[in-house]
Amino acid sequence: MTVAQLKDAALMDADVPQVKAEMNVQEVKHQPSKFPPVSEPACRTYLDIQSGERSYARVEQLYDWKDDVYPGNSTLASYEAGAAERNFAELKKVLAACRTFEAENWTGKHTVSITVEAPPPFGDEAVTLREHVSLPDGPAADKQVTVVRAGNTIATFTRLDIGRSSSFPTELIERQVGRLNNVQQNPVSADGAARGEGSG
């Protein structure tokens, strides 16, 4: 799938009544990170796959929730034939070894511990986990990460909270995965197929 097809498959305002701002979808280009790599090799692989760093094309959406200060996020990434399945198999393998890592971003250095939850029933295969982020000051951050393979695409959904745990709405994940499946099954009439049906 191309960037245009991924954008076409992304959710629209009418699909997401839970947000207070207009939905927007942006291409994410492959660029070198401004921060040093995380401390554990297995965790570097996990982060690369869940962010679509190895993909052929990817787009990103921000979900500005009505009932939360912290937004959610989704990344839709497409792969050449067979590559999404191989990357997902590697993701599941490295999650068995990635439990804690040190990282740095615009907020500074922090420690992340990972807890893998029961696999959710989305797409061809899926994993859900929690990233518990220990910050220098204040309460810990909790980020739910759900990664779903739908054919030759991998979609990642995240929801961040501070001092408590929140989850990305199940119905939105199902709807987005259905859109990705529709576009792949009907590439010529992508717009009508992607917009015409809900979850697949």
Side-chain angles (χ1 to χ4, degrees):
M1 291 176 65
T2 63
V3 167
Q5 288 175 310
L6 288 172
K7 286 184 175 182
D8 189 68
L11 299 182
M12 302 182 297
D13 294 341
D15 300 311
V16 194
Q18 299 95 326
V19 299
K20 57 189 174 186
E22 182 178 344
M23 293 294 295
N24 191 18
V25 56
Q26 299 288 338
E27 178 182 3
V28 182
K29 296 184 178 180
H30 298 283
Q31 297 177 341
S33 174
K34 298 179 181 178
F35 302 100
V38 301
S39 57
E40 298 297 326
C43 297
R44 290 201 295 268
T45 300
Y46 151 68
L47 291 171
D48 284 347
I49 295 173
Q50 64 108 322
S51 64
E53 191 62 36
R54 302 176 172 187
S55 63
Y56 169 75
R58 61 180 167 168
V59 300
E60 184 176 70
Q61 280 189 296
L62 195 70
Y63 294 75
D64 192 6
W65 309 115
K66 292 178 180 178
D67 61 350
D68 205 337
V69 174
Y70 306 101
N73 179 275
S74 69
T75 301
L76 312 180
S78 70
Y79 294 78
E80 296 178 354
E85 189 171 2
R86 290 192 298 271
N87 273 276
F88 207 93
E90 187 175 1
L91 171 66
K92 291 189 288 187
K93 181 179 178 180
V94 298
L95 279 177
C98 177
R99 284 295 174 263
T100 304
F101 61 91
E102 303 290 328
E104 183 177 351
N105 59 19
W106 59 272
T107 63
K109 294 182 179 179
H110 53 273
T111 301
V112 181
S113 60
I114 290 179
T115 302
V116 179
E117 300 183 341
F122 303 128
D124 295 308
E125 48 190 337
V127 296
T128 292
L129 53 97
R130 295 273 175 181
E131 292 185 12
H132 307 279
V133 185
S134 299
L135 303 172
D137 300 305
D142 178 278
K143 183 167 75 169
Q144 185 202 48
V145 182
T146 298
V147 188
V148 185
R149 183 178 70 83
N152 292 322
T153 65
I154 293 178
T156 300
F157 306 86
T158 65
R159 184 154 188 177
L160 176 71
D161 228 318
I162 304 294
R164 64 174 187 169
S165 296
S166 296
S167 298
F168 202 97
T170 297
E171 66 272 20
L172 297 185
I173 297 177
E174 292 175 338
R175 191 170 296 142
Q176 181 61 86
V177 170
R179 291 276 176 81
L180 290 170
N181 282 327
N182 285 340
V183 172
Q184 291 177 88
Q185 293 163 9
N186 303 279
V188 176
S189 57
D191 184 76
R195 302 303 185 195
E197 301 291 336
S199 59

